[in-house]
Amino acid sequence: MSLGSDVCVVTGACGFLGQRLIRLILQEEKVAEIRLLDKTIKAQLLQSLNECRGDTKLNVFEGDIRDADFLRRACRGASLVFHLASIIDVINAVDPNEMHAVNVKGTQLLLEACIQENVASFIYTSTIEVMGPNPEGEPIFKGDEDTVYKSSLKFAYSKTKKEAEDRTLQANGEVLHSGGRLATCALRPMYIYGEGCQFLLGHMVDGLRNREVLYRTSLPEAKVNPVYVGNVAAAHLQAARSLKDPQKRNEVGGKFYFVSDDTPHVSYSDFNHVLMSPLGFHIQDKLMVPLRFFYIICFIWEMACMMLRPFCRVVPPINRQLLTMLNTPFSFSYQKAKRELGYTPKYSWQEARKNTVEWLADQLPKEREKLWRK
């Protein structure tokens, strides 16, 4: 089912995934209009998109996701919303109230704007972290949407994303002002990598500081299955097509789907090495300290930061929950998305790795120069 002459709103349009999704829509669909919604939108992005937009209109909406009037203006006359915008934080550096306001309240306001402005379809970008891992580090091997798991979410990020996801799915079937009904679904990607991934870039910079040796923070047996950004974008587009299809709309609406691909299952640390070894990087053989002592160090850091909180906000570089995430086997299948959405990875592992390594290779001399100047 083609999106045809749809008017699409993409929140978080300037983000890592947002840019990739917009390019894919322009490549594969002749939509009437794409509305880029973000706090600020750089002229360079618009210029690069203009080169491939064809007859599709690109309109900029700069503003705050917490502004209800702004969201109504952005949604007026639209038929489809891709809601990608959120605060991402895995070290608890962001104030929890700020995160809740953006991730939860912003999502609720956007859903309300869709209902008021008769937007038919709403796709929410969730995350694997709404599933866990839990503080006990209980593993999941090739889980699916029916996997039962005691999440016990601790991160403000994972809690707010789960609440926003729940609100999105609960809004499925809400009556629009026109009398139609809103259809919603949520996608839960694994850890997303690819060109533009700032997490990968940060690990590479840390490795440069450590004489081209990557730090090991994950045990080799703690295998996960990262997903390439191009395939996540493809899953979003396929979800939009499914929600537009009258025969699939009721089947897909109100559901969440895990999004992965055929990237090999490895630990987070070893995955960094897989991508950076062609650039001359090595990796530590073992954790810097045994895992049990690593937890003790994190606990001491956390307590010290808590004691300093009345005077200043200090955030430890790693905490116990993040350490658990990095050292828990946690992998999921994309088979339900394949069956119900028609999703299949657009890019093979070989293509994804090649594209990512080439991007990292392009960034390497720039990051070397930055460090040299310091």
Side-chain angles (χ1 to χ4, degrees):
M1 175 66 70
S2 171
L3 299 186
S5 58
D6 279 47
V7 174
C8 307
V9 176
V10 180
T11 74
C14 291
F16 171 40
L17 176 58
Q19 293 186 44
R20 192 60 178 258
L21 175 59
I22 292 168
R23 292 182 188 281
L24 182 63
I25 296 171
L26 292 174
Q27 290 168 5
E28 296 198 2
E29 295 283 352
K30 294 182 179 179
V31 298
E33 180 184 350
I34 301 177
R35 298 175 181 175
L36 288 69
L37 190 155
D38 216 319
K39 291 183 295 185
T40 56
I41 296 176
K42 295 181 179 179
Q44 300 96 302
L45 172 60
L46 286 174
Q47 184 177 353
S48 66
L49 293 175
N50 276 327
E51 296 171 359
C52 61
R53 70 179 179 86
D55 295 327
T56 299
K57 294 180 181 178
L58 296 176
N59 283 321
V60 170
F61 285 80
E62 292 183 330
D64 194 322
I65 195 74
R66 296 165 292 186
D67 184 338
D69 291 336
F70 165 68
L71 295 179
R72 286 198 63 173
R73 290 196 302 273
C75 290
R76 192 161 296 147
S79 50
L80 167 64
V81 167
F82 294 98
H83 182 29
L84 282 63
S86 69
I87 295 177
I88 301 173
D89 174 33
V90 295
I91 59 172
N92 288 331
V94 179
D95 181 89
N97 293 326
E98 173 80 3
M99 186 169 294
H100 187 274
V102 172
N103 292 0
V104 179
K105 185 178 180 181
T107 300
Q108 184 63 44
L109 290 173
L110 186 58
L111 287 165
E112 292 170 2
C114 288
I115 292 169
Q116 292 162 351
E117 299 299 334
N118 304 309
V119 177
S121 301
F122 186 102
I123 297 166
Y124 177 68
T125 307
S126 187
T127 170
I128 182 59
E129 291 182 46
V130 303
M131 192 74 176
N134 60 28
E136 290 74 34
E138 294 175 335
I140 293 180
F141 301 94
K142 297 182 180 179
D144 60 27
E145 288 77 358
D146 296 322
T147 299
V148 178
Y149 187 76
K150 181 183 176 183
S151 295
S152 303
L153 302 176
K154 297 295 183 182
F155 277 141
Y157 171 63
S158 56
K159 287 192 288 187
T160 56
K161 291 294 285 185
K162 182 64 169 68
E163 186 175 348
E165 180 192 280
D166 288 343
R167 293 193 183 199
T168 296
L169 300 183
Q170 290 163 6
N172 183 66
E174 286 285 336
V175 178
L176 306 176
H177 279 199
S178 64
R181 291 188 180 273
L182 176 66
T184 68
C185 72
L187 302 182
R188 295 180 177 180
M190 309 299 109
Y191 165 68
I192 307 174
Y193 71 94
E195 309 95 295
C197 177
Q198 295 305 301
F199 288 111
L200 276 177
L201 193 61
H203 292 307
M204 186 174 75
V205 171
D206 288 342
L208 285 173
R209 292 194 181 103
N210 197 37
R211 299 182 180 180
E212 300 188 355
V213 177
L214 301 171
Y215 292 104
R216 177 175 290 283
T217 54
S218 304
L219 296 170
E221 58 267 27
K223 295 184 177 181
V224 294
N225 55 330
V227 61
Y228 180 58
V229 63
N231 290 329
V232 181
H236 279 72
L237 188 53
Q238 198 57 39
R241 291 166 176 159
S242 296
L243 287 180
K244 188 173 181 180
D245 187 337
Q247 296 181 337
K248 287 188 175 183
R249 187 174 175 86
N250 290 335
E251 178 187 8
V252 172
K255 293 183 180 179
F256 68 85
Y257 296 89
F258 290 113
V259 179
S260 57
D261 56 20
D262 301 320
T263 299
H265 294 213
V266 292
S267 75
Y268 285 108
S269 293
D270 289 300
F271 185 67
N272 293 335
H273 186 229
V274 167
L275 294 176
M276 297 179 204
S277 57
L279 306 180
F281 286 84
H282 303 280
I283 188 171
Q284 295 172 337
D285 292 331
K286 300 178 181 179
L287 295 176
M288 292 176 279
V289 294
L291 188 57
R292 182 173 296 180
F293 291 107
F294 213 154
Y295 274 104
I296 294 173
I297 292 170
C298 287
F299 174 75
I300 294 171
W301 271 340
E302 290 172 38
M303 292 302 102
C305 291
M306 187 180 299
M307 293 173 65
L308 290 170
R309 186 63 53 85
F311 311 101
C312 61
R313 186 177 180 85
V314 179
V315 180
I318 190 169
N319 54 48
R320 286 170 293 169
Q321 183 59 28
L322 178 56
L323 191 60
T324 298
M325 185 180 77
L326 294 172
N327 287 280
T328 301
F330 219 62
S331 58
F332 291 83
S333 166
Y334 65 82
Q335 292 307 307
K336 186 173 182 179
K338 182 178 181 180
R339 291 192 308 270
E340 297 188 7
L341 300 180
Y343 160 73
T344 54
K346 181 178 176 65
Y347 298 88
S348 68
W349 157 238
Q350 290 74 21
E351 291 172 311
R353 183 185 184 187
K354 178 177 180 293
N355 293 343
T356 307
V357 171
E358 287 178 353
W359 174 74
L360 287 170
D362 183 59
Q363 302 303 309
L364 186 56
K366 303 173 188 176
E367 297 303 328
R368 285 188 195 278
E369 183 177 356
K370 288 179 185 176
L371 291 175
W372 180 79
R373 287 180 176 178
K374 290 179 180 180

